[in-house]
Amino acid sequence: MLQDQKQTAEQDVLHDLGGGLGLRKATHQDRERLADFHATTLLDMGETAPNEGLRAWMLDLMSGEHPTFKPGDFTVVEDTAAGKIVSSIGLISQVWTYEGIPFKFGQPEIVSTDPAYRRRGLVRAQFDEVHRWSAARGELVQGITGIPWYYRKFGYEMTINLGGNRGGSRSSVPRLKEGEVEPFRFRRAVVEDVPFILEMYQRTTSRSMLACVRDEALWRYDIEGRSENSDVRSELRVIETQDGHPAGVLIHSRKLFNGTMWARFFELKPGVSFLSVTPSVMRYLDATGEEYLKRDPDSGAAGAGGAKEFISIAFAMGEKHPAYDTVKDRLPRVRKPYAWYIRVPDLPAFLQHIAPALEKRLAESPQSGHTGELKVNFYRSGLRLGFQQGSISVEEWKPDRVEEGDAAFPDLTFLQLLFGYRSLEELQHAFPDCSAQTDDARALLPILFPKKVSNVWAGG
């Protein structure tokens, strides 16, 4: 067995990292032990190994059946003498959109290192490698979700909303009046529902500046391909009227988490109001949460005397959603979003790629048809945006002095503006060395880069 592991470690070695450590691509033969490694290593504080939900997700990703991921999309750092995996990272390739313009996106994910091998530069070596893979795939942007601060070390900036939810106690769920019949029912989705689900998803993403493209293959995989215990598995339901006409789609958690039942997606057809459907959704979530608690009492929150309880429902659909305003007083608990880490290795190339969106914003503004230029100073580098009758070109520009240019953004703060995370005014308030120094900058930057909400459901 050990000899087989040594032979595997010698295959497809990308880099000798010294000290008996080799960096290579994972293979299908690594499936079980790589899943076991992450499930016992990538743990939250206070969490007990193994993380079975993560293990199930890993086995799915390494199965060769995932529509966008293959086993070789994981790096493995191995102690070759012991045949032991000590660190690993995956790269999940996707397509995202910026105001409807598609671009290739790479998501490094499931990053963990054996505690005995930390602080040796192993994660940095793997990030360098997956960044090379991402570039070779034509991915203009990379993004990762993770612990605070850490991924800034690898050229990332926290710059897109991640999560955000509204919740309330079970007592806030509206009840049917005596003799009243539930107007909507909730049917488990099947693969034949995929076109309708896709239609509802596109309706949701139209409200988000950034979105992940989830095609029919990925929705089919969500319905029938994911393992039952996977951390990323959800329950898909088609919302129907009592006479069987589809009204919308609801996607919710597969279990309670600390006594809370979670909805992560809720969309309705045009002509169907959230006022009419949301009370039914809340009652359905309440009844389903009761079933989950009976099935798995440990998923409840600790109540009086130590008994486990189902205490609340929550809608985890980003910072804004129509349901929030529909039943605002029933969802008094507001949790603000965290943030995605985002990296844009070639900023001029990405800006040129999304130039049609910027030109559209300009054309719909008082500065339509503008001709001129805008120099944006990043202190050690910069950009020149050229305008010709409203058409935009982008090229690199290097300032000779730190005061030079029309506007200035320290470090990677410009990404917050680019992705609608913060307005120009908010950045200037937070960073004294962020500035708009000319009339052109003060007029054009808020038009080109307005603050806009995004809620991205990634494609892993």
Side-chain angles (χ1 to χ4, degrees):
M1 178 67 176
L2 184 60
Q3 182 63 33
D4 290 342
Q5 292 176 354
K6 288 182 178 180
Q7 290 175 353
T8 300
E10 293 168 359
Q11 296 171 359
D12 201 17
V13 175
L14 301 171
H15 302 286
D16 182 348
L17 302 180
L21 302 179
L23 170 61
R24 63 176 176 84
K25 287 186 177 182
T27 69
H28 188 269
Q29 286 70 34
D30 296 309
R31 184 179 182 224
E32 292 285 344
R33 66 192 191 108
L34 190 57
D36 289 339
F37 167 74
H38 284 291
T40 56
T41 308
L42 187 57
L43 302 171
D44 290 333
M45 292 185 65
E47 188 175 10
T48 302
N51 182 334
E52 293 296 350
L54 174 59
R55 186 178 189 278
W57 183 23
M58 280 292 307
L59 291 173
D60 285 350
L61 288 172
M62 292 288 289
S63 69
E65 298 177 3
H66 191 282
T68 65
F69 193 92
K70 58 185 184 298
D73 291 335
F74 268 105
T75 59
V76 169
V77 176
E78 193 162 23
D79 185 326
T80 54
K84 176 183 179 182
I85 295 174
V86 299
S87 189
S88 176
I89 298 175
L91 177 65
I92 305 172
S93 291
Q94 302 157 50
V95 175
W96 284 23
T97 58
Y98 183 105
E99 298 284 34
I101 297 172
F103 62 92
K104 292 184 177 181
F105 179 93
Q107 182 180 351
E109 192 53 84
I110 313 182
V111 180
S112 56
T113 301
D114 185 319
Y117 291 80
R118 290 174 184 171
R119 295 179 176 84
R120 300 191 190 183
L122 303 185
V123 171
R124 183 173 295 279
Q126 290 173 95
F127 262 91
D128 288 344
E129 187 62 33
V130 298
H131 286 163
R132 282 191 285 270
W133 295 358
S134 192
R137 297 174 187 182
E139 293 165 357
L140 295 176
V141 179
Q142 291 84 41
I144 187 170
T145 62
I147 57 177
W149 174 78
Y150 184 74
Y151 296 102
R152 294 181 186 275
K153 300 195 301 180
F154 310 115
Y156 290 77
E157 175 77 356
M158 300 185 85
T159 185
I160 297 172
N161 279 356
L162 173 61
N165 62 74
R166 304 282 181 95
S169 68
R170 295 183 64 196
S171 63
S172 67
V173 175
R175 305 301 173 184
L176 288 172
K177 297 177 182 178
E178 186 176 352
E180 191 175 8
V181 176
E182 188 68 73
F184 297 93
R185 62 192 187 191
F186 300 82
R187 172 178 58 78
R188 183 180 295 275
V190 295
V191 291
E192 288 76 15
D193 295 312
V194 165
F196 180 65
I197 295 170
L198 187 57
E199 179 187 341
M200 294 297 96
Y201 180 72
Q202 291 170 343
R203 187 165 167 79
T204 288
T205 56
S206 69
R207 296 192 293 267
S208 180
M209 190 184 83
L210 291 151
C212 177
V213 176
R214 299 180 64 87
D215 61 13
E216 291 193 3
L218 191 53
W219 284 115
R220 287 195 296 270
Y221 187 74
D222 283 333
I223 291 171
E224 61 180 13
R226 297 191 188 276
S227 297
E228 183 69 27
N229 293 326
S230 170
D231 267 351
V232 296
R233 178 185 171 91
S234 297
E235 296 295 330
L236 283 73
R237 300 290 183 266
V238 175
I239 306 170
E240 294 180 332
T241 61
Q242 285 298 337
D243 56 2
H245 290 96
V249 170
L250 175 70
I251 302 178
H252 61 78
S253 58
R254 60 181 176 83
K255 63 180 181 179
L256 295 180
F257 291 90
N258 295 321
T260 298
M261 180 71 187
W262 293 90
R264 67 170 307 179
F265 181 92
F266 173 28
E267 190 58 72
L268 299 174
K269 289 176 60 175
V272 179
S273 79
F274 278 88
L275 271 172
S276 64
V277 181
T278 304
S280 293
V281 167
M282 296 182 73
R283 287 189 289 269
Y284 166 79
L285 293 172
D286 188 62
T288 303
E290 281 278 15
E291 294 174 5
Y292 286 175
L293 184 66
K294 292 175 183 176
R295 184 188 68 192
D296 180 14
D298 288 339
S299 65
K308 294 299 182 72
E309 298 179 355
F310 167 31
I311 58 175
S312 65
I313 64 171
F315 291 83
M317 297 178 294
E319 187 175 12
K320 294 183 178 180
H321 189 274
Y324 296 167
D325 295 327
T326 301
V327 289
K328 186 174 183 179
D329 289 348
R330 298 183 185 275
L331 303 172
R333 189 191 69 225
V334 178
R335 180 166 293 178
K336 294 293 186 181
Y338 186 54
W340 277 85
Y341 287 95
I342 296 296
R343 175 179 181 264
V344 185
D346 189 339
L347 193 53
F350 180 71
L351 284 166
Q352 196 63 65
H353 183 78
I354 64 165
L358 308 183
E359 291 167 353
K360 183 174 185 293
R361 290 171 178 170
L362 189 63
E364 295 172 349
S365 79
Q367 311 307 331
S368 176
H370 177 70
T371 295
E373 70 172 17
L374 199 64
K375 291 181 178 178
V376 183
N377 188 339
F378 303 141
Y379 293 105
R380 288 181 292 183
S381 62
L383 295 173
R384 177 190 176 276
L385 278 68
F387 302 86
Q388 184 63 42
Q389 291 296 308
S391 178
I392 298 175
S393 62
V394 187
E395 61 185 15
E396 291 185 3
W397 167 71
K398 189 172 181 61
D400 293 324
R401 297 172 57 87
V402 296
E403 305 93 340
E404 195 174 358
D406 297 281
F409 297 88
D411 300 322
L412 299 174
T413 54
F414 180 75
L415 296 184
Q416 297 188 35
L417 191 72
L418 170 61
F419 291 106
Y421 187 61
R422 296 285 184 262
S423 68
L424 176 62
E425 183 178 359
E426 289 171 337
L427 285 175
Q428 289 177 294
H429 177 75
F431 300 92
D433 51 354
C434 175
S435 62
Q437 302 163 5
T438 65
D439 288 340
D440 283 15
R442 288 186 287 268
L444 292 172
L445 287 174
I447 292 169
L448 296 173
F449 308 109
K451 183 177 180 179
K452 300 190 74 173
V453 170
S454 292
N455 180 38
V456 182
W457 184 355

